Amino acid sequence: MFTKVIAAILALPLVAQLVSADTCTRTYSAQAGDICDSISAANNVSTYQFAVVNVGIIDEACDNLVVGQSYCLGWQGQDCMTTYVVQQNDDCDIISSAAGINTTILYENNPQIDDYCSNIYIGEVLCTANTVQVPPAPAGTTPATSIPPTATPANPDGDLPWCDE
Ligand SMILES: *[C@@H]1O[C@H](CO)[C@@H](O)[C@H](O)[C@H]1NC(C)=O
Ligand SMILES: *[C@@H]1O[C@H](CO)[C@@H](O)[C@H](O)[C@H]1NC(C)=O
């Protein structure tokens, strides 16, 4: 059991390298108390981008961060560093006009946002660049669809997935 876990941990970076030739250009060493969105906010990385570059390493619920482990923040040529942390009462129109961009490009850089912009939540980090800069989502995965269970919708009319249940 122990050996198996170690082997799996050791194999991860290798697998990631085999699957993609993407070059990681910046990294962050996890500290106690970190959550994915706090790492993203502190390092100007969008929630979506952080999830994509760590697919297969950080799980969807982001509950397997290891203190001291180094995580990739961005890939060469696909690294959005223009970011915005969602606040209460934000919606996509407010966010894009504040950033001086249109909603089309906002959706392209943040593909996890639903058609009604109803699933953005306080503390989520969005890429607000004026060109598409984030990497595409890997096939067969939905890296950025996990929303922290403690998340609060940005808008009172917001609709996080579990609100329907
Ligand atoms: C994040 O971006 C802000 C605004 O551009 C900048 O002041 C800050 O130094 C950046 N932080 C990092 C860690 O890059
Ligand atoms: C949105 O902004 C992008 C980048 O400036 C531009 O290329 C695109 O044509 C705009 N789209 C619309 C629908 O205005």
Side-chain angles (χ1 to χ4, degrees), residues 19 22-24 43 46 69 78 81 84 91 101 122 143 151 153 161 163:
V19 171
D22 300 296
T23 306
C24 187
N43 292 283
S46 68
Q69 184 169 326
Q78 297 181 311
M81 294 195 230
Y84 173 76
D91 63 29
I101 59 175
I122 296 170
C163 297

Side-chain angles (χ1 to χ4, degrees), residues 149-163:
T150 51
T152 309
N155 198 283
D157 301 327
D159 184 24
L160 300 183
W162 53 86
C163 297

Side-chain angles (χ1 to χ4, degrees), residues 86-92 113-114 116-122 124 147 151-164:
V86 175
Q87 313 288 317
Q88 191 165 18
N89 295 322
D90 273 344
D91 63 29
C92 285
I113 301 177
D114 68 25
Y116 304 98
C117 193
S118 61
N119 64 342
I120 59 169
Y121 58 89
I122 296 170
E124 182 173 15
I147 298 173
T152 309
N155 198 283
D157 301 327
D159 184 24
L160 300 183
W162 53 86
C163 297
D164 299 334

Side-chain angles (χ1 to χ4, degrees), residues 7-104:
I9 289 169
L10 290 177
L12 273 178
L14 246 186
V15 171
Q17 276 170 19
L18 289 176
V19 171
S20 100
D22 300 296
T23 306
C24 187
T25 48
R26 46 189 186 129
T27 59
Y28 171 81
S29 179
Q31 294 167 22
D34 279 344
I35 60 168
C36 280
D37 283 335
S38 66
I39 294 174
S40 300
N43 292 283
N44 296 345
V45 183
S46 68
T47 294
Y48 167 82
Q49 176 172 304
F50 189 67
V52 171
V53 301
N54 290 290
V55 160
I57 299 165
I58 300 176
D59 66 22
E60 275 200 41
C62 188
D63 56 10
N64 65 340
L65 289 175
V66 178
V67 171
Q69 184 169 326
S70 176
Y71 294 96
C72 183
L73 298 175
W75 287 335
Q76 190 167 36
Q78 297 181 311
D79 187 5
C80 178
M81 294 195 230
T82 309
T83 54
Y84 173 76
V85 180
V86 175
Q87 313 288 317
Q88 191 165 18
N89 295 322
D90 273 344
D91 63 29
C92 285
D93 290 333
I94 293 172
I95 294 168
S96 16
S97 59
I101 59 175
N102 59 41
T103 51
T104 309

Side-chain angles (χ1 to χ4, degrees), residues 131-144:
T131 55
V132 177
Q133 299 184 350
V134 298
T141 60
T142 51

